[in-house]
Amino acid sequence: MDFYHLPLSAPCQSVRLVAKALGLHLNLKEVNLLAGEHLKPEFLKINPQHCIPTLVDNDFVLWESRAILTYLCEKYGKNDGLYPRDPKKRAVVNQRLYFDMGTLYGRFSAAYYPMMMDGKELNPELVAKLDEALEFLEGFLDKTPYVAGDKLTVADLAVLPSLTTIEVLASYDLSKFPNIQRWYGEVKQSVAGYQEICAEGAAEFKQAFMPGS
Ligand SMILES: N[C@@H](CCC(=O)N[C@@H](CS)C(=O)NCC(=O)O)C(=O)O
């Protein structure tokens, strides 16, 4: 499978974590967004929406990281461990994936991208919204050991790169969130590829957009 990505991108990292967990090989193809490679005709032919991550599995092309995560589990998972089939368990996993996209990472990018990309001042109201998103995550992890239940699922592997990016880029102090700290400490150790995929990717993101900070 060809996988169009950038190492510093959290949504791209989540797909690589899930592929690793499933024992799948991804043929990594870097798309340099800063050089506009995603807008070149050859990439637009693959993905007219010109975003990464993009997966090409023979004649099947898919983008949107969380859609890719669940596709890989359904198509290639040897069991339903990472993406449970039980409708209620699966619904909670899906809910957390949408939370990750629309609320957690969404609020991080709303608060921090203007500063990182355009040198604007941080808006305290937007930072407070991100704080609220982390409080929601803290609440989920108060009820269950993992993001969407008693076991590790794709929801953990989506939230993990988001949280790493938030912690590293925003120099976020997580000490006021004990449940997040407990979960984060555990998955950083136990998830295969965390260091090379997420930790190094987030460091590269910071180096590219906030050098010297
Ligand atoms: N919701 C999407 C977000 C993807 C996204 O924002 N990709 C960025 C890089 S991290 C991108 O490709 N930007 C270039 C563009 O959209 O033109 C996902 O999770 O896959």
Side-chain angles (χ1 to χ4, degrees), residues 54-135:
T54 296
L55 181 80
V56 181
D57 186 7
N58 291 311
D59 59 350
F60 181 62
V61 182
L62 189 63
W63 55 91
E64 279 300 337
S65 59
R66 295 153 193 90
I68 299 173
L69 303 184
T70 55
Y71 167 74
L72 290 178
C73 291
E74 294 199 279
K75 177 105 200 281
Y76 296 106
K78 291 190 175 63
N79 55 50
D80 72 344
L82 283 178
Y83 193 45
R85 271 197 198 93
D86 173 82
K88 286 185 183 163
K89 287 186 180 158
R90 179 163 287 197
V92 175
V93 172
N94 289 337
Q95 187 255 307
R96 302 299 198 248
L97 290 175
Y98 289 118
F99 164 79
D100 177 47
M101 176 170 154
T103 305
L104 184 61
Y105 201 84
R107 289 185 185 186
F108 165 72
S109 53
Y112 281 87
Y113 277 19
M115 179 189 81
M116 288 159 52
M117 318 285 174
D118 304 320
K120 297 209 169 121
E121 289 289 311
L122 267 184
N123 177 335
E125 278 172 31
L126 295 178
V127 175
K129 294 296 279 180
L130 173 61
D131 231 60
E132 185 193 43
L134 287 160
E135 274 163 29

Side-chain angles (χ1 to χ4, degrees), residues 17-32:
L17 291 181
V18 168
K20 210 174 199 27
L22 295 172
L24 300 171
H25 173 74
L26 295 177
N27 181 24
L28 298 177
K29 289 175 174 279
E30 270 193 48
V31 181
N32 186 341

Side-chain angles (χ1 to χ4, degrees), residues 9 11 33 38 49-53 64-66 101:
S9 149
L33 299 181
H38 59 311
Q49 203 182 312
H50 52 74
C51 54
I52 49 164
E64 279 300 337
S65 59
R66 295 153 193 90
M101 176 170 154

